[in-house]
Amino acid sequence: MPVPTSVSTRSDHGKGVGLGLALLSALAFGGSGVAAKPLIEAGLDPLHVVWLRVAGAALVMLPLAVRHRGLLRRRPGLLAGFGLFAVAGVQACYFAALSRIPVGVALLVEYLAPALVLGWVRFVQRRPVTRAAAVGVVLAVGGLACVVEVWAGLGFDALGLLLALGAACCQVGYFVLSDQGSDGDEAPDPLGVIAYGLLIGAAVLTAVARPWSMDWSVLTGSAEMNGTPVAAAVLLGWIVLVATVVAYVTGVVSVRRLSPQVAGVVACLEAVIATVLAWVLLGEHLSAPQIVGGAVVLTGAFIAQSSAPSKGTGTPVAAGGPERELSVPGTTA
């Protein structure tokens, strides 16, 4: 049966908005490392930077947590899962992995998440996935291997690799939990979910990072960004407001407008964006394999997002999934 033109137009618009939000989220997340590295080089411990990032974002979102306090009663499991996995788990596992294996290896393993999301959709939710979406994931992961130049420092450390895989699994939780409850009249507002997730994540990271031992004086001075002094407070503000608040809000809403598997592959662009920003702002030049890898990631992301219909198309999400309505109650795109 033909899809009415008005429905098709709305569906295309919804998918376009979702893709735009996913790209904005990748851009915001990708800029976190460029702002965090000068702070770390200025004397802050990486875990302390993570704690400042999450705790600061939690304070910004606190009014929304108060506004949506009913979520504590209605969806306590969703809030706890988002805080533990999507916020604290990803950060803690990734930084712990960095202490044992090279950054490139940890980043590559973490961004196996899109492949794991497809596995979740296929084997846990028992919904078919399109061949093109799977090809997009393979291309994206292969391109990431070039972007991070995994061959430059591959060292096998079983615990380090397990921690990086833990970060990947927690990132799967981010995409899957962001998609939970996106249908129905009682769908939780994504802003409320993010607010409580950040609060719970901040509480967990407080016990891990022990911020009372942090050198707070670093935040009153400046940090060097490729030889240019930048106020530490400005860098921290960017990390909190853009790389965390904006990144999580646009990311969660994009998952609800697209699907976990599509948004997951588009998120692979974060590694490309982070590498390019490091090139421009920190003077870390790209090699030829990194440039080629970035192009491959872009190709994989494009194939995945263009092959799998969005939730609102009225067609199976992954070549056989249940139909979903275009309207997503509770979203604020």
Side-chain angles (χ1 to χ4, degrees):
M1 179 179 179
V3 179
T5 303
S6 59
V7 175
S8 177
T9 302
R10 290 174 61 208
S11 299
D12 292 341
H13 175 71
K15 183 178 180 181
V17 171
L19 179 59
L21 289 172
L23 291 173
L24 180 57
S25 179
L27 177 62
F29 273 126
S32 63
V34 174
K37 186 171 182 178
L39 292 176
I40 294 172
E41 292 178 342
L44 285 181
D45 184 271
L47 274 180
H48 289 159
V49 175
V50 173
W51 179 84
L52 286 168
R53 173 186 185 179
V54 175
L59 286 176
V60 172
M61 300 290 285
L62 184 59
L64 288 170
V66 175
R67 178 181 178 183
H68 297 286
R69 55 188 177 275
L71 286 175
L72 287 172
R73 174 178 50 82
R74 294 191 291 113
R75 304 299 295 270
L78 174 61
L79 301 183
F82 196 86
L84 291 174
F85 295 105
V87 178
V90 172
Q91 303 290 343
C93 287
Y94 176 67
F95 279 90
L98 292 184
S99 67
R100 307 186 69 94
I101 60 177
V103 174
V105 178
L107 189 61
L108 176 62
V109 174
E110 180 184 352
Y111 276 91
L112 290 175
L116 297 178
V117 168
L118 284 183
W120 174 274
V121 171
R122 178 64 183 90
F123 299 108
V124 178
Q125 296 182 337
R126 298 185 181 280
R127 294 161 56 193
V129 297
T130 63
R131 180 179 300 175
V135 169
V137 169
V138 172
L139 286 175
V141 172
L144 278 173
C146 296
V147 171
V148 303
E149 293 188 328
V150 64
W151 57 83
L154 183 60
F156 182 81
D157 183 294
L159 180 57
L161 291 176
L162 283 175
L163 287 168
L165 185 59
C169 292
C170 288
Q171 195 174 64
V172 172
Y174 162 74
F175 290 114
V176 173
L177 290 170
S178 296
D179 188 52
Q180 291 299 306
S182 59
D183 290 324
D185 296 333
E186 298 299 320
D189 192 296
L191 297 181
V193 173
I194 295 167
Y196 279 105
L198 288 169
L199 286 170
I200 294 171
V204 173
L205 288 171
T206 297
V208 176
R210 296 179 293 180
W212 48 86
S213 63
M214 180 171 56
D215 183 4
W216 292 87
S217 64
V218 174
L219 299 178
T220 63
S222 62
E224 295 287 331
M225 179 176 283
N226 196 22
T228 303
V230 180
V234 172
L235 294 174
L236 179 60
W238 177 273
I239 293 172
V240 170
L241 297 176
V242 178
T244 307
V245 174
V246 172
Y248 271 104
V249 170
T250 54
V252 170
V253 176
S254 73
V255 172
R256 291 192 176 191
R257 286 185 173 268
L258 297 171
S259 66
Q261 62 270 33
V262 176
V265 175
V266 177
C268 287
L269 295 177
E270 178 188 336
V272 179
I273 292 168
T275 304
V276 172
L277 289 178
W279 184 10
V280 175
L281 298 178
L282 300 180
E284 298 180 353
H285 298 290
L286 295 176
S287 65
Q290 287 179 308
I291 295 175
V292 172
V296 174
V297 172
L298 288 171
T299 302
F302 175 78
I303 291 174
Q305 68 85 19
S306 62
S307 65
S310 66
K311 290 181 180 182
T313 58
T315 57
V317 171
E323 293 184 1
R324 309 285 293 269
E325 296 292 334
L326 173 66
S327 176
V328 182
T331 58
T332 54

